[in-house]
Amino acid sequence: MNATDIGNGNIMNQRTRRDGQTSRRTLLRGVGVAMTLPWMESLPVWGSDDSQSVAAPKRIATLFMANGINPLHWTAQGSGSEMQLGKCLEPFEPLKAKINVISGLYNQASLGVGIHPGQTGNLLSGVSLKKGSELGGGISMDQVIANHVGQETIQSSLVLGCEQPVTGYHETNFSMAYSSHISWQNETSPVPMETYPALAFDSLFENHGSARNRSIIDRIQEDARGLSRRLSSSDQAKLDEYIASVREVELRTERMRKASQKAIDNAKDRGRPLFTMDRPDNGLPEDIREHMRLMCDIIAMAFQTDNTRITTLMLNNDISGLIYPFLGIRYGHHGASHRDQSDEYLRIVQYHCSQAAYLADKLQSMPEGDSNVLDNSLVMFISNMWSGSKHESSRVPVVQIGSLGGSLETGRVLDYTDKGDDNRRLCSMYLSIMERMGVKLDRFGDADTPLADL
Amino acid sequence: MPPPDAVQPTREARAELLDWSRFLREYEAKRNAGDPGPVLARRLNGAEYNHTIRDLTGVDIRPARHFPVDPANQEGFDNSGESLTMTPGLLMKYFDAARMVSEYLVLKPDGLDFAPHPVVVDTDRDKYGVRRIVDFYEVQNTDYSDYFYAAWRLRQLGGSDNPPTALGAVAEDVGVSQKYLGTVWSLLSGSQHHDGPIATLRSMWLALPDGNDRLDQVRSGCEEMSAFVERLRPRLSHSFDHLSHAGINNGTQPFVLWRNRQYAAQRRSLNRDALHVAQSNPVVEPDGETDDDEMERLLTIPADQEVQSRHVAALREFCDIFPDAFFVKSRGRDYKGLEKQGAQLADEAAVRLLSAGFHSQMGFFRDDAPLYDPMLDASEQRRLDTLWHDLDFVADVSRRQHQGYIWYERGESRFLTDPEFDFARGEDEDITSESKIKRLADVYLAKAQRTGASDQVLEAIRQHFLQVSSKIRRIELARLSAERTSPVQRGYWVVRQLLGERIPPPPPDVPELPQDESKLGELSLVRILAVHREHQNCAGCHNRFDALGVALEEFGPIGEFREVDLGGRNIEARAQMPDGIERYGVAGLQSYIREHRQQEFVDNACRKLLSYALGRTLIVADDVALEAMRRQPERSNHGMVDLIETVVTSPPFLNQRGRSYRYEELAE
């Protein structure tokens, strides 16, 4: 079997499971809602009487940052708690026993094709992209896994972004669509990216139509009350805490939805369409800080509730136009990346790393069995370039956080730069990850062997 | 049988057994002759499913290509129920297939369509909309030689004696636009004196031999005429420089669009600067003139004022009739003022269909005025307008183009990186709101002014924002007002489908209601209907059902509950029912039916249910079963289960018409 077979046989992403029969797990149910419970001592949560016999699910979140890092400060030495992290990686300091800093990997298909879109649209697939107006790439690693494990969850995957996709054509004659999409469902179609947090939230809970008027928590409340009677007191507290955390995210997305709806209603009352509303009455977080954070919270919640196991989040697009006035920088992200050795760009990189660290920390705070959600997950931080000023993609920066259910040894610095080209393929790393997720492929992208020593 | 080492039956016993089994088989066959056999309900096989989807959508999507191969029955065919079973795994494939088909779906202003390719992301929607326009352009005949030839054919028919009929017939036969052929015909056959290139064309055309025996010569003469136009026309075209202003990227949308607009506006006009005045009079045609000499001579205008103005007028008319392009199908990137080279345009990969020519942002530019007016008839013009509107609607072009603009200006050109522009982010949902575009325009213009931009630059920017805003607004309105409810149709449906009442079709002179709610003006739909009912011809019928539809007004065009309509007016679901009592909403409708039309409702429901169950139109003999059904509900308080039970235990449901045939009869 190869990746293309999987893509052809199963091109649908975001498959929704509605049969209600295949669950092996204890769920809280309500109208349009199914939420998995966190691990509890008094309940066989994972569906069998012997709760230890069924492993917790493994999840993968890929966080993408555009246009490379600050090469001067992307350094790491040592291992475990002794690891010395460079300035870029400082946000990972509290997590360093749980991270792998991986350098020297490259994607063959992104080399020699010109800068930007050709270096991005295939970051997770390793497939050569087609120039011109027709899109052509290949199924990405996350979607291969989603096709494999997606049947188990409400959504097979969640593909998110914080910046609207840009289309058009880059001077290299690649479509700019490659710059806005790293998740691909097959060789011609990227997975549409959700940039609105409220819609991302809805997609996890079948939150549509009139059901939306009722809180998700209200809808599962009755089920939760019934369950509560069977729990030990410490588990009851855990359940309350869990429900409260979902509620918190729901409330934040709801605030935005309400504001947006209010704006639409106001406009309707005046008998004309919505043209006149100022932010924040428009449904998007006013500040990119809140936007990124909310997306991370939604991923964390999706993992905790086991509504999806695979997510990608493009913190920004390649050739990003995001600006970061709160970091004291006035250029756009892309412009700043052309001065990638500057302190300004260092701050931008740190800021992006802190998003991954925030997500990891949040997952770590969610108990699951004897461990926590982070230990059963992999948060992968990756960029399409090493150096933005040189548009260098002959190696890309990767940080892995979490041990994927104990299958990944962490606390390591792995440098493949001098291992020879055949031994430092990014797609080899994907083969390794996919194998740990139960997808055994002979070949993926440009690689036919897993990454050594990972 | 039996095994060789066992005791063997006698020959007679063997024969007897064989006879017996043969007899039994024949007996059974005859006894059951005519038995249609068990024909199981079955799913469609893969080929049938593919063809069904193709027939339904008009697109050959082949969603069954990922299904497992259909098993065949004993005879080797895959169309019988025994083999076409459904498994849970296959059901999942069907769901996937249905989703796959839905990926081809396009939402247009007037309904759904299916694209010949998946429509998942923005670039797919672009492709769908662009392809339809380009296909339209490509079937237009803009080959001049065909028009010259068609005009020659008209000449052979005696030309102007019977122009409209002859024109239409020849245009159709040659495959050219009748409208434009008329123009070319007038130019070539007219009696008015012409100077310059028109005189040249006319003399070339008049020199074409008459009669059908030298068609090759006629054809090549027409080609030469066409080549003459193609040689001269580009030399009379305008050329426009890029706008520029320090700090603003030359590839910025306002500048590129400004230049596109200049070209588009001047496609049918003469560039006076391309001409030069002769040193002496008259400009004579020398012997042995080369093509280049000829072009040079035509660009040289006589010094004599009167002759000059005639010559220029002729050139103007020439430019008007022969535009420098009928439409622009593709553009290369108009980036930083780099000249668009022929070689670059010839490279298919370097040009984009209908592109506006921006550097990295998407955007399309319509440049087809010389095709639109002179060549297309009214219905073709409407079609082309619709295709462009569809592109904007389907692919959300205006909005995305503006988003790309913000992204480019903020990230790439850096003109918008000052804090005063922080309110505008490409990813904001309201980035295309009227107020935000206006605010951006104000701040942008202020900065441009501050930094010393020329009046032309300022005007280009001002125009840009105004156009962006109005285009986006037009599409937003189209989205909001794509549909309205129809209390008339709903009311008619209720009386026809729920109560079984028959009402004659509307008279042909029925006044039309507005297309959408936003065009109703101050009046609500309900009020307009009331006015309509004052019309005597209409009142007789409308009084019987309008009110029943008005009661459903609380539900919008797609069935959503609402309190205001799409025009922002409060919903009026209160109506005077045919019994003279005012009632409100669905509950009101229900109580009206219960009080006055209960029996009609029950009768109609029984008829429909029985007809559905029997799979045929009802006949007189069904009255007995209907009567049983009508009695049943009275006993069971109209329970659906009892009603269905009455149907499925009724003789017409349990029996089939016909008599049993004996095998012998059939054999005869």
Side-chain angles (χ1 to χ4, degrees):
Chain A
M1 183 165 68
N2 59 38
T4 316
D5 291 338
I6 292 180
N8 286 341
N10 211 346
I11 66 160
M12 290 307 304
N13 156 263
Q14 315 238 330
R15 175 184 294 108
T16 309
R17 197 194 61 196
R18 291 160 210 265
D19 56 18
Q21 291 176 355
T22 48
S23 174
R24 294 178 289 104
R25 322 229 339 235
T26 305
L27 299 173
L28 284 178
R29 288 185 183 281
V31 179
V33 192
M35 260 166 60
T36 315
L37 289 175
W39 183 88
M40 294 187 193
E41 59 187 16
S42 44
L43 261 195
V45 168
W46 307 115
S48 95
D49 288 339
D50 178 5
S51 63
Q52 301 309 310
S53 68
V54 181
K58 296 178 193 160
R59 299 87 152 187
I60 296 184
T62 304
L63 269 60
F64 170 85
M65 174 196 173
N67 307 144
I69 42 78
N70 180 323
L72 292 181
H73 300 291
W74 189 273
T75 55
Q77 284 160 351
S79 62
S81 55
E82 303 300 310
M83 198 186 287
Q84 302 283 317
L85 296 174
K87 285 184 183 170
C88 285
L89 299 169
E90 273 170 8
F92 297 117
E93 186 68 30
L95 290 157
K96 58 192 181 184
K98 296 204 169 180
I99 69 172
N100 287 326
V101 180
I102 304 176
S103 312
L105 301 183
Y106 81 114
N107 174 19
Q108 182 72 51
S110 75
L111 299 181
V113 294
I115 58 176
H116 287 302
Q119 296 175 302
T120 312
N122 52 12
L123 184 68
L124 297 183
S125 72
V127 173
S128 290
L129 301 178
K130 192 172 159 189
K131 290 188 179 191
S133 54
E134 303 263 328
L135 295 185
I139 185 168
S140 53
M141 171 273 287
D142 59 309
Q143 293 302 306
V144 172
I145 302 171
N147 285 340
H148 183 71
V149 303
Q151 304 266 2
E152 305 284 325
T153 53
I154 296 272
Q155 290 290 348
S156 64
S157 71
L158 196 57
V159 176
L160 307 175
C162 296
E163 192 176 11
Q164 289 284 359
V166 170
T167 45
Y169 296 93
H170 187 255
E171 61 201 66
T172 53
N173 201 21
F174 282 109
S175 168
M176 290 287 288
Y178 296 120
S179 285
S180 315
H181 297 284
I182 55 171
S183 274
W184 285 64
Q185 53 184 302
N186 55 40
E187 57 275 24
T188 55
S189 294
V191 181
M193 180 167 73
E194 185 54 72
T195 53
Y196 293 104
L199 297 180
F201 183 86
D202 289 347
S203 72
L204 290 175
F205 292 105
E206 300 191 359
N207 209 23
H208 302 297
S210 58
R212 197 189 278 162
N213 298 331
R214 285 185 64 201
S215 155
I216 281 168
I217 302 305
D218 293 346
R219 281 184 267 157
I220 52 125
Q221 207 63 271
E222 194 176 324
D223 211 10
R225 272 196 294 274
L227 178 72
S228 193
R229 286 193 286 275
R230 291 152 51 203
L231 296 178
S232 66
S233 58
S234 71
D235 276 352
Q236 278 184 23
K238 202 179 280 178
L239 179 66
D240 290 346
E241 191 186 321
Y242 169 72
I243 288 178
S245 72
V246 175
R247 179 70 179 148
E248 195 246 86
V249 177
E250 181 184 30
L251 275 175
R252 281 161 62 205
T253 48
E254 205 52 40
R255 270 201 297 277
M256 280 182 291
R257 193 205 314 285
K258 276 189 181 142
S260 168
Q261 191 55 44
K262 191 175 138 217
I264 291 165
D265 290 348
N266 286 345
K268 270 187 184 168
D269 288 345
R270 287 195 297 276
R272 57 199 186 89
L274 171 62
F275 288 130
T276 51
M277 299 295 118
D278 280 337
R279 197 165 56 203
D281 281 358
N282 60 29
L284 261 193
E286 182 156 13
D287 190 315
I288 194 67
R289 283 174 288 189
E290 171 65 2
H291 196 164
M292 286 183 179
R293 184 137 296 194
L294 196 44
M295 287 306 204
C296 288
D297 287 338
I298 286 171
I299 292 174
M301 192 190 62
F303 279 2
Q304 188 185 25
T305 54
D306 199 28
N307 280 342
T308 193
R309 294 176 190 171
I310 308 297
T311 69
T312 59
L313 169 60
M314 290 185 81
L315 293 166
N316 38 38
N317 297 334
D318 170 53
I319 324 190
S320 169
L322 290 186
I323 57 166
Y324 312 98
F326 54 91
L327 297 175
I329 303 160
R330 298 272 11 137
Y331 335 112
H333 182 107
H334 174 224
S337 77
H338 283 194
R339 303 167 190 79
D340 59 349
Q341 303 197 355
S342 65
D343 278 354
E344 281 89 352
Y345 201 61
L346 171 62
R347 291 204 291 279
I348 291 177
V349 176
Q350 283 175 329
Y351 182 71
H352 284 76
C353 286
S354 72
Q355 302 306 310
Y358 171 79
L359 172 61
D361 187 53
K362 182 133 191 164
L363 296 176
Q364 188 168 237
S365 71
M366 297 168 167
E368 190 165 76
D370 293 335
S371 58
N372 55 62
V373 178
L374 179 65
D375 288 344
N376 293 319
S377 306
L378 169 64
V379 176
M380 185 172 79
F381 180 90
I382 190 167
S383 183
N384 53 343
M385 295 174 200
W386 179 258
S387 158
S389 61
K390 298 179 194 151
H391 298 101
E392 180 195 357
S393 60
S394 61
R395 52 183 168 151
V396 295
V398 176
V399 178
Q400 297 180 336
I401 319 152
S403 60
L404 205 53
S407 64
L408 261 177
E409 191 191 332
T410 56
R412 296 185 292 165
V413 176
L414 300 165
D415 188 355
Y416 292 88
T417 311
D418 301 323
K419 304 272 183 188
D421 283 353
D422 283 342
N423 303 314
R424 60 179 197 95
R425 296 185 189 278
L426 194 55
C427 287
S428 291
M429 180 178 78
Y430 299 152
L431 279 174
S432 303
I433 293 171
M434 287 189 281
E435 194 174 341
R436 287 171 168 89
M437 292 299 289
V439 185
K440 178 106 179 79
L441 299 180
D442 302 329
R443 187 173 179 81
F444 184 76
D446 58 357
D448 48 19
T449 50
L451 193 61
D453 303 327
L454 185 63
Chain B
M1 272 276 284
D5 55 350
V7 179
Q8 298 296 316
T10 62
R11 180 182 291 272
E12 291 73 25
R14 207 181 275 269
E16 194 181 344
L17 179 68
L18 284 173
D19 280 350
W20 173 79
S21 67
R22 208 172 290 125
F23 168 78
L24 188 67
R25 188 181 169 87
E26 268 177 35
Y27 173 79
E28 281 297 317
K30 286 177 184 174
R31 195 166 70 92
N32 294 309
D35 178 2
V39 179
L40 304 174
R42 65 169 176 94
R43 64 174 172 85
L44 298 178
N45 65 29
E48 290 167 338
Y49 190 71
N50 280 337
H51 293 152
T52 305
I53 294 294
R54 188 195 57 197
D55 292 347
L56 285 173
T57 63
V59 182
D60 196 7
I61 299 171
R62 299 182 193 217
R65 63 178 181 264
H66 301 310
F67 290 5
V69 176
D70 287 316
N73 61 14
Q74 283 189 9
E75 280 66 36
F77 294 106
D78 61 359
N79 66 347
S80 54
E82 309 95 274
S83 56
L84 291 175
T85 50
M86 183 62 89
T87 62
L90 188 57
L91 191 64
M92 288 307 289
K93 294 251 178 217
Y94 270 89
F95 279 131
D96 284 350
R99 290 194 185 97
M100 176 181 170
V101 172
S102 74
E103 289 197 339
Y104 286 69
L105 194 142
V106 180
L107 189 61
K108 294 201 307 174
D110 57 351
L112 304 177
D113 192 15
F114 286 85
H117 49 81
V119 182
V120 180
V121 281
D122 289 334
T123 45
D124 301 329
R125 284 179 271 274
D126 291 344
K127 186 160 86 179
Y128 168 81
V130 166
R131 200 60 250 176
R132 292 166 85 220
I133 295 170
V134 171
D135 287 347
F136 180 93
Y137 286 156
E138 284 176 348
V139 297
Q140 308 305 320
N141 191 344
T142 56
D143 184 341
Y144 291 131
S145 70
D146 283 346
Y147 286 90
F148 298 141
Y149 171 70
W152 174 84
R153 287 270 301 271
L154 270 177
R155 194 172 88 197
Q156 305 308 301
L157 292 172
S160 56
D161 287 350
N162 189 9
T165 326
L167 203 67
V170 169
E172 190 179 341
D173 198 39
V174 183
V176 294
S177 150
Q178 180 178 339
K179 199 171 171 186
Y180 189 60
L181 175 58
T183 309
V184 171
W185 167 253
S186 308
L187 181 79
L188 296 175
S189 67
S191 53
Q192 198 190 341
H193 174 75
H194 276 291
D195 281 1
I198 295 179
T200 311
L201 274 179
R202 226 185 232 180
S203 65
M204 289 169 90
W205 184 70
L206 288 170
L208 298 174
D210 287 325
N212 284 331
D213 50 344
R214 282 186 285 171
L215 273 183
D216 286 352
Q217 216 179 318
V218 174
R219 273 293 189 184
S220 72
C222 293
E223 300 283 348
E224 274 174 38
M225 290 173 72
S226 174
F228 168 78
V229 176
E230 305 281 4
R231 254 195 329 272
L232 176 61
R233 189 59 182 85
R235 306 181 68 153
L236 301 171
S237 298
H238 294 265
S239 144
F240 299 94
D241 289 335
H242 278 265
L243 289 181
S244 66
H245 174 61
I248 300 181
N249 193 300
N250 280 358
T252 191
Q253 288 190 12
F255 291 3
V256 174
L257 289 173
W258 175 86
R259 193 157 174 261
N260 288 349
R261 280 198 300 275
Q262 308 311 309
Y263 276 108
Q266 304 299 335
R267 298 223 170 273
R268 290 170 68 185
S269 72
L270 167 71
N271 177 13
R272 190 73 167 68
D273 295 343
L275 308 178
H276 41 86
V277 179
Q279 299 301 315
S280 62
N281 267 330
V283 182
V284 288
E285 182 178 339
D287 290 335
E289 189 183 46
T290 65
D291 285 349
D292 282 347
D293 293 341
E294 185 190 20
M295 291 301 121
E296 202 50 42
R297 176 171 55 78
L298 289 166
L299 296 180
T300 310
I301 47 176
D304 178 89
Q305 279 299 320
E306 194 189 326
V307 187
Q308 187 183 99
S309 67
R310 270 211 323 269
H311 194 103
V312 170
L315 283 168
R316 281 195 206 288
E317 187 172 2
F318 176 82
C319 288
D320 181 51
I321 294 177
F322 304 107
D324 65 357
F326 281 101
F327 53 84
V328 177
K329 195 172 74 175
S330 59
R331 279 189 190 75
R333 272 179 303 109
D334 197 352
Y335 177 42
K336 295 182 176 172
L338 297 179
E339 205 41 62
K340 291 175 284 189
Q341 294 300 321
Q344 188 196 339
L345 286 171
D347 177 6
E348 266 295 315
V351 296
R352 308 290 172 213
L353 295 173
L354 307 183
S355 164
F358 303 135
H359 170 35
S360 301
Q361 311 125 81
M362 61 76 60
F364 304 104
F365 186 79
R366 180 173 178 179
D367 186 350
D368 57 18
L371 177 79
Y372 191 83
D373 283 326
M375 274 207 184
L376 305 182
D377 63 30
S379 78
E380 289 169 325
Q381 289 177 348
R382 273 199 304 278
R383 169 92 185 126
L384 186 54
D385 289 339
T386 303
L387 291 175
W388 274 98
H389 181 66
D390 284 359
L391 169 63
D392 204 354
F393 184 94
V394 168
D396 209 4
V397 169
S398 300
R399 181 184 158 86
R400 285 166 55 216
Q401 185 175 319
H402 187 60
Q403 253 166 1
Y405 167 72
I406 304 280
W407 159 77
Y408 186 73
E409 294 295 320
R410 299 205 74 189
E412 301 302 289
S413 101
R414 298 191 54 199
F415 194 73
L416 266 62
T417 47
D418 304 336
E420 62 199 288
F421 294 103
D422 279 357
F423 69 93
R425 293 194 309 164
E427 60 274 25
D428 292 345
E429 200 174 15
D430 66 340
I431 191 65
T432 46
S433 70
E434 208 169 20
S435 62
K436 202 165 245 190
I437 292 176
K438 184 171 183 315
R439 185 171 165 196
L440 181 60
D442 289 346
V443 185
Y444 195 109
L445 277 165
K447 181 171 176 183
Q449 226 153 8
R450 219 166 44 234
T451 51
S454 69
D455 287 348
Q456 202 174 32
V457 163
L458 293 174
E459 187 52 31
I461 296 168
R462 198 171 289 121
Q463 269 185 30
H464 175 76
F465 282 110
L466 283 175
Q467 291 191 357
V468 164
S469 195
S470 83
K471 279 178 83 175
I472 290 173
R473 185 171 157 70
R474 204 181 65 222
I475 293 300
E476 296 263 1
L477 272 174
R479 282 194 206 295
L480 283 175
S481 60
E483 286 176 31
R484 64 165 169 82
T485 58
S486 171
V488 176
Q489 282 184 22
R490 285 175 170 180
Y492 182 78
W493 188 89
V494 170
V495 296
R496 179 78 192 83
Q497 300 296 335
L498 294 185
L499 304 176
E501 187 177 351
R502 289 192 183 274
I503 287 169
D509 58 344
V510 56
E512 284 216 11
L513 289 175
Q515 281 289 315
D516 64 65
E517 288 170 349
S518 64
K519 292 186 185 129
L520 295 175
E522 293 299 310
L523 291 178
S524 71
L525 203 50
V526 174
R527 296 267 175 248
I528 286 181
L529 286 175
V531 173
H532 185 79
R533 278 195 302 274
E534 286 166 12
H535 203 281
Q536 262 192 340
N537 289 347
C538 308
C541 293
H542 281 274
N543 282 338
R544 288 153 74 183
F545 53 75
D546 278 5
L548 282 67
V550 170
L552 301 173
E553 271 292 277
E554 282 178 311
F555 301 91
I558 55 166
E560 80 284 10
F561 183 79
R562 60 182 192 167
E563 282 161 356
V564 289
D565 69 13
L566 292 173
R569 287 167 298 269
N570 288 333
I571 289 300
E572 297 179 50
R574 180 175 298 284
Q576 189 179 13
M577 294 285 163
D579 62 357
I581 299 173
E582 270 209 355
R583 297 171 198 264
Y584 190 86
V586 174
L589 176 62
Q590 214 171 7
S591 68
Y592 164 70
I593 291 177
R594 271 199 183 283
E595 287 170 27
H596 297 280
R597 324 257 325 234
Q598 172 113 333
Q599 199 52 46
E600 281 171 74
F601 178 81
V602 172
D603 285 357
N604 187 53
C606 290
R607 289 187 70 83
K608 283 190 176 283
L609 192 62
L610 185 62
S611 174
Y612 176 75
L614 299 179
R616 61 166 169 78
T617 308
L618 299 188
I619 55 175
V620 177
D622 296 323
D623 284 0
V624 180
L626 281 172
E627 190 49 38
M629 290 172 75
R630 283 190 204 107
R631 284 199 311 270
Q632 183 70 43
E634 282 168 20
R635 289 200 300 273
S636 63
N637 199 22
H638 308 296
M640 199 66 185
V641 173
D642 294 321
L643 208 52
I644 290 172
E645 193 183 319
T646 313
V647 171
V648 299
T649 55
S650 71
F653 186 83
L654 294 170
N655 298 291
Q656 275 191 310
R657 184 189 266 184
R659 65 189 182 94
S660 47
Y661 289 89
R662 290 177 59 76
Y663 179 78
E664 290 79 4
E665 284 174 336
L666 286 173
E668 282 164 16

